[in-house]
Amino acid sequence: MSISQEIESKINIVELAGRYVQMKKAGVNYKALCPFHSEKTASFVISPVKNLAYCFSCHHGGGPIRFLMEMEKIEFSEALHILAKEAGVELKTDYYKERGEKTGDIYDMYRIATDFYREEILRDENKEKLNYLLNRGISRETIDRFGLGYSGNPRELFTRMKDKGFTEQAIIDSGIFVGPGRDKFYGRIIFPIANFAGHTVAFTGRITDKWEPKYLNSPVSDIFNKSAILYGFHLAKSTIAKEQSVIIVEWQMDTVALHQANIYNTVGISWTALTKEHITLIKRFTKKLYLCLDWDKAGVEATFKSLENLYNEDLDIYVISLPDAKDPDEFIKSGGDFQEEMKKALTPIAFYIKEWAKKYDITQMTGKKAIWEELKKMLKHIKNPIEIDAYIREIGKILNLSTDVLYSELKNFREKRIIEDVKKQTSFERTELLGGYMRLYGYFDLFLEKFQYTLEDGMSIPSFFVIKNLLSERESGKNNGAIDLDRLSAIELFIEEDNASLSQEIITQKFLELIGYLNKICFEQEKKILLENIDPNSTEYMIERHKLQEKAKKIGVKFN
Ligand code: ZN
């Protein structure tokens, strides 16, 4: 029996899958709604006899290791580590080498380093480092909870890893060292960064003489993906699930401070705003999210960016704004009641208006209009009509404006944007799109009416032959075989999808926008020919120029 088989044999799949899905007994098996795809009738089957959890619709899942890998989006070796621990099976470090698995080695090295740094900070000779943390208001219990340590011996850790059988190259490649025996984090307080399952995947080292920005992070590696890591998530996830909410703060100090204040559903993000990867992870646990990033310029920008990533994610979102404090750590140290501030958290709309009110005078009409312009840019991304309705009501209330006016304003804005988008259309040639519109909506006569040039003039435009052929086929009533009908059908499907929710009026406007583009190309060409071939000092030139000006006006292009 291989070690993975041994581990799987000791794991009860019903119990494991039961942590993620609600299952019902169906004969000898259990059934549940699939956790990997969205469905209304259960096609996810859990078989205790076969020790399998598998979806017959999307074909995800499998034995305990495969199931956990897919559920937690983790590597094989990660899943193996977690289940080995649960099964009480000891994994030897050389196990991965036999399999040629790189990540298994790295996990082990980071675990050895975490333990080593922990031992170091508890040594008598490093007592001042421990006291330093205690004096910064971090309790002994918190130090243990987050596994904080100290790197006080640059060579010993290297030797210890070599003794465990790792090669010098592998140890250096781990990102913990800068060279043989030279610990990258030497002389620093160590904050281990753990992944979802609680395994260390990176470190932050902080120097103690000046605390604030003097920190050093592990490089990105096979096991460390900066934009997916939530600091403290392994410690917070059960509380997040229980309290059905999560608080997002900035990285380590704020996370540590809130956990110490018994607010355990707190996790930290770093370097960037909340990413889509973070959001996917969070959504598996709760639908309610509080953002509490720093209140400096960078923090507010990160809040804006995070809110943008949270559009259409079907979450209840709040922004906590702390009075007179830069961040949660400072707020709590100054005796603030964080739970009380959570109750006063702002909705995204209230947050936006609060921020823009710093720039615009909210009591004046010009200020209200300016803020509404900003809000429209945000609202145009929201797809759900119920959400839009709630936001508009809130805006109307705060800015004291009629919701009817806001609705029709927003509708105009969205429609205008849809038409704008046509101008940027690049997936198909605009001429091909025009052909699609003509066939789909019967816009042949409209085309002939609005196109200001002859079909021969048009032939200098890429793919114009599509339009020319469509028109001649319509004239003659027979297919001359010059058009790729498969491609045209695909274009029609694209247009149908694109226009599914639009009124005929808007669709016509989009079509006219496309014709306007062709007119413009033909005009430019006409202009070029004229200016190149006639003596600019002649009377004829003046006459032709005047004609061009008239035409420019008619088709709406600029010409002086
Ligand atoms: Zn499925």
Side-chain angles (χ1 to χ4, degrees), residues 15-215:
E15 193 275 320
L16 180 66
R19 297 177 208 167
Y20 302 93
V21 296
Q22 288 275 359
M23 55 179 92
K24 278 203 189 102
K25 192 127 177 56
V28 290
N29 295 330
Y30 295 83
K31 281 188 133 184
L33 291 176
C34 177
F36 301 112
H37 84 279
S38 122
E39 62 176 6
K40 292 207 169 68
T41 48
S43 46
F44 191 67
V45 178
I46 302 102
S47 160
V49 177
K50 296 194 175 67
N51 215 22
L52 277 179
Y54 190 79
C55 173
F56 286 97
S57 181
C58 70
H59 303 284
H60 277 95
I65 294 174
R66 165 67 39 193
F67 172 78
L68 195 65
M69 281 169 71
E70 292 186 349
M71 210 58 233
E72 301 289 3
K73 309 237 180 325
I74 52 178
E75 302 263 334
F76 177 86
S77 50
E78 253 270 52
L80 197 73
H81 257 290
I82 297 168
L83 294 180
K85 206 169 158 195
E86 290 193 12
V89 175
E90 199 196 340
L91 286 177
K92 292 184 221 75
T93 52
D94 56 3
Y95 166 69
Y96 303 101
K97 267 183 272 320
E98 283 164 22
R99 288 176 49 98
E101 277 231 14
K102 216 164 128 216
T103 51
D105 276 352
I106 306 183
Y107 281 120
D108 282 329
M109 286 189 273
Y110 275 84
R111 200 191 60 232
I112 292 164
T114 307
D115 292 345
F116 178 80
Y117 295 140
R118 286 283 298 139
E119 289 165 25
E120 284 287 301
I121 203 167
L122 299 177
R123 281 158 84 140
D124 266 353
E125 65 209 70
N126 294 326
K127 203 166 173 47
E128 60 174 294
K129 303 297 173 187
L130 184 65
N131 284 336
Y132 178 79
L133 283 175
L134 296 171
N135 291 336
R136 300 279 312 186
I138 299 175
S139 71
R140 183 55 212 273
E141 195 192 338
T142 303
I143 292 169
D144 289 341
R145 182 173 167 83
F146 284 89
L148 307 189
Y150 177 66
S151 169
N153 196 325
R155 271 170 293 275
E156 203 183 312
L157 178 58
F158 198 87
T159 313
R160 192 182 285 196
M161 286 189 184
K162 267 183 80 174
D163 290 348
K164 294 268 180 186
F166 295 107
T167 65
E168 287 203 0
Q169 197 54 48
I171 299 171
I172 292 166
D173 289 346
S174 70
I176 302 169
F177 298 88
V178 285
R182 286 174 55 222
D183 185 338
K184 180 177 181 172
F185 301 101
Y186 175 59
R188 291 168 183 265
I189 297 278
I190 304 288
F191 286 72
I193 301 164
N195 66 6
F196 181 92
H199 299 297
T200 304
V201 294
F203 296 109
T204 298
R206 288 170 181 261
I207 52 172
T208 49
D209 49 351
K210 272 202 189 105
W211 182 264
E212 269 309 327
K214 300 275 178 95
Y215 54 79

